[in-house]
Amino acid sequence: MDRKRIAGPELSVPPLFDKPQIVPQELAGEGRPDGRSPEDVRPIFLKTGLINQANGSAYIELGNTKLACAVYVLFFPTHCSSAFPRLITPPPRCSYGPRQNKKQTFSNMGLLNCEFKFASFSCSKRRGNQRDSQEKEYSQILSEALAPAVRLELFPKAMIDVFVTVLENDGTASCLAGAITAASVAIADAGLEMIDQVAAVSAVERSHHLVFPQRTQSFAKDQILMDATSAEEKLETGTLVVSYMPSANEVTHVLQTGETEGPVTVQAIEQCIDACSKIYTVMSAALVESLKEGERPRV
Amino acid sequence: MPAPLISPSERDYITKSVQANLRADGRTRLDYRQIVLETGLISQTSGSARCRLGEGTDVLVGVKVEIGQVDIDSAGNRGKVVCNVECSPSASQQFEGRGADELNNELTQALERVLNGAQGGLNLEKLCIIQGQQCWVVYIDAIILDSAGNLLDAIFIATRAALFNTRVPKTIVQDLGDGQFEFELLDDVESAERIEGWDHVPIGITLNKIGSRYIIDATPLEELCTEAKLVVAVNRKGHLCGLQKSADGGIEPSLLTEMVQTAKSLGQSLIKQLDDQLEREEIDFNARRARGEHVEKLGFFAA
């Protein structure tokens, strides 16, 4: 027997410490890790026509958040054909022809059927193939955010399918905001009549006295960070997603979580509305760009 | 079963009545229907409550606390809240079969988003029994028995009352040394305690935008005329604990701000009224029991 070695107990457990919340160095300071100011959104890349089989599609990148959106129009609008020059002659190899609303119930308005899905590899934890309750909820939010903009009264009994796939998730709230923005552009790309484009943006509310209890003095003010990354989201006390139609001046969706004092949220909503107007210009540019390419063969 | 439809004349009647601030049942825009609330109806639960709005909406909430494993992702010192809302098919033919799936999910997520987390009010750290191992899991199950509009508000009111009514058994933790712990449950009913922070649990106020104005506590017909809905969760301090728009319409930014403010003040006063009533009832209940009187519950046929 080796007597020089100190025999440890047979069973041991790691000690439990009162862990102070560890704030990564780069997030502890006043600025943001990527050098943005609190009210800056990440640079946006937005392009239509990623998916050829779809009637309309868009791809969006918000920093590392990447998602693709496809719109399939399952109807043949004969009664308002002038508004849909692209749809009068359906693309020859289009896998989706005119189709009736899958649900059997009658609806005198068109239905906006949205499906939001995180790709199984898109998040830090693997997502299942089945849509979970969060994805189902986001699907519903997506359709509620877009419905005010699309002229659904023009297509009774018909269904518009909007599929969003998140390829990379860098901030869950930004995924939802990006999905709304991209879906709006994709619907316009499909040639559907809309009242306005819907721009969406996310923000996090960070109360510093909650995150850094020991530094209340220097961080007395609550901060609103626009378009947070997932690293920033981890430290949040609340998140906010706002979607807005700039020309119609209407908020189409608001989703806020976390406890805040009223004025902070109201201010955050105002900031988001301002940011939406900026995103709107990016969306318009992407659509104009797609029209310039316009003569590119669809499908 | 198709979704109910509304005729243009009915829609017009309701929209104009909202504009005139006098609704079909004689309420003004910001009036609730009569709220009937009773706690402690179901003996199998740790706490229960039933909320009825007027002659319609009827929600039963049962809270059960059970021992479960601590989530590894969190700091390991927190209990959990799990919410579930189910629309009983008896409430409406629409809920038959899988018809209620979407609504169930919507209501469950709305409740979960508000109650699960710091803004939910409950002191989750107090629900941890042994750090890194076991904790109390608070299961909040709501059943919609009858549906006549404004489900979410009724769920929130009933949930808050059920959490007021909830008692968690006391535990005694023993240190066995070597970093091992064991705990013992006290089955003494009298020593069971309320969950700390129940009074900070928020309630939700649903505002329905009809025309250019908004109303609270909408009836089913009014819900059919609703362009946009805004659910605002408010706690006792008047802090916002959640905000969500639903239904297929938009809201102008200035109106949105006004709606949030209105909901905040309405919510705060409603919480105060409910708390006063609940506490008064409890004092009365305890006094009568101390006198040896049998206290009967109003039960399911209470007005």
Side-chain angles (χ1 to χ4, degrees), chain A residues 43-256:
Chain A
I44 297 174
F45 174 80
L46 180 63
K47 196 165 164 52
T48 58
L50 171 76
I51 297 149
N52 284 324
Q53 295 292 315
N55 299 84
S57 64
Y59 171 79
I60 192 168
E61 278 182 17
L62 299 145
N64 279 334
T65 296
K66 301 182 177 93
L67 43 92
C69 172
V71 173
Y72 294 97
V73 188
L74 307 181
F75 72 102
F76 195 51
T78 46
H79 62 286
C80 48
S81 52
S82 63
F84 304 96
R86 279 180 188 169
L87 293 171
I88 299 167
T89 47
R93 281 187 292 121
C94 182
S95 55
Y96 287 78
R99 254 206 282 157
Q100 203 187 336
N101 175 1
K102 275 180 265 176
K103 288 179 190 158
Q104 292 304 304
T105 54
F106 171 77
S107 161
N108 56 3
M109 299 260 277
L111 287 176
L112 201 56
N113 174 44
C114 298
E115 292 198 11
F116 183 96
K117 185 82 192 84
F118 284 104
S120 45
F121 47 78
S122 61
C123 306
S124 55
K125 244 189 187 175
R126 188 178 179 274
R127 290 265 179 174
N129 286 324
Q130 290 277 317
R131 275 201 302 164
D132 63 17
S133 54
Q134 188 190 31
E135 287 164 335
K136 278 185 193 153
E137 196 205 5
Y138 278 11
S139 307
Q140 199 180 357
I141 290 172
L142 192 57
S143 95
E144 284 167 354
L146 295 168
V150 186
R151 293 195 62 196
L152 293 168
E153 68 276 14
L154 292 180
F155 347 106
K157 298 197 274 184
M159 180 134 93
I160 301 162
D161 276 331
V162 178
F163 300 111
V164 175
T165 311
V166 177
L167 305 172
E168 202 172 326
N169 171 356
D170 193 6
T172 311
S174 77
C175 285
L176 182 58
I180 296 171
T181 309
S184 168
V185 171
I187 291 172
D189 184 50
L192 293 175
E193 257 189 79
M194 295 173 86
I195 293 166
D196 194 5
Q197 285 282 294
V198 186
V201 77
S202 65
V204 300
E205 293 150 335
R206 194 196 277 179
S207 314
H208 276 286
H209 60 274
L210 290 174
V211 182
F212 313 105
Q214 71 279 23
R215 290 162 73 174
T216 325
Q217 291 303 311
S218 53
F219 288 109
K221 211 169 132 257
D222 287 350
Q223 231 184 345
I224 300 161
L225 304 180
M226 302 299 293
D227 194 22
T229 61
S230 50
E232 288 169 327
E233 233 176 29
K234 275 190 195 129
L235 299 174
E236 45 76 15
T237 52
T239 62
L240 177 70
V241 178
V242 174
S243 69
Y244 177 65
M245 297 194 284
S247 301
N249 188 28
E250 255 186 44
V251 175
T252 65
H253 214 284
V254 194
L255 183 73
Q256 189 252 334

Side-chain angles (χ1 to χ4, degrees), chain A residues 11 13 16 105 125 133-134 136-137 140-141 143-144 147-148 244 249-263 265-266 269 273, chain B residues 1-2 73 102 105-106 109 113 118-119 131 178-180 235 237 239-253 256-257 261 264:
Chain A
L11 192 131
V13 286
L16 289 169
T105 54
K125 244 189 187 175
S133 54
Q134 188 190 31
K136 278 185 193 153
E137 196 205 5
Q140 199 180 357
I141 290 172
S143 95
E144 284 167 354
Y244 177 65
N249 188 28
E250 255 186 44
V251 175
T252 65
H253 214 284
V254 194
L255 183 73
Q256 189 252 334
T257 56
E259 180 175 345
T260 57
E261 284 169 48
T265 304
V266 171
I269 291 175
I273 288 175
Chain B
M1 171 93 184
D73 313 357
E102 216 167 272
N105 189 42
E106 184 188 342
Q109 291 289 331
R113 193 181 8 253
Q119 75 278 9
Q131 185 162 12
D178 297 342
Q180 284 193 313
N235 68 10
K237 286 185 272 182
H239 288 181
L240 276 183
C241 300
L243 186 63
Q244 184 177 9
K245 197 226 84 168
S246 55
D248 301 338
I251 305 171
E252 299 88 71
L256 180 73
T257 318
Q261 294 301 341
K264 213 173 93 171

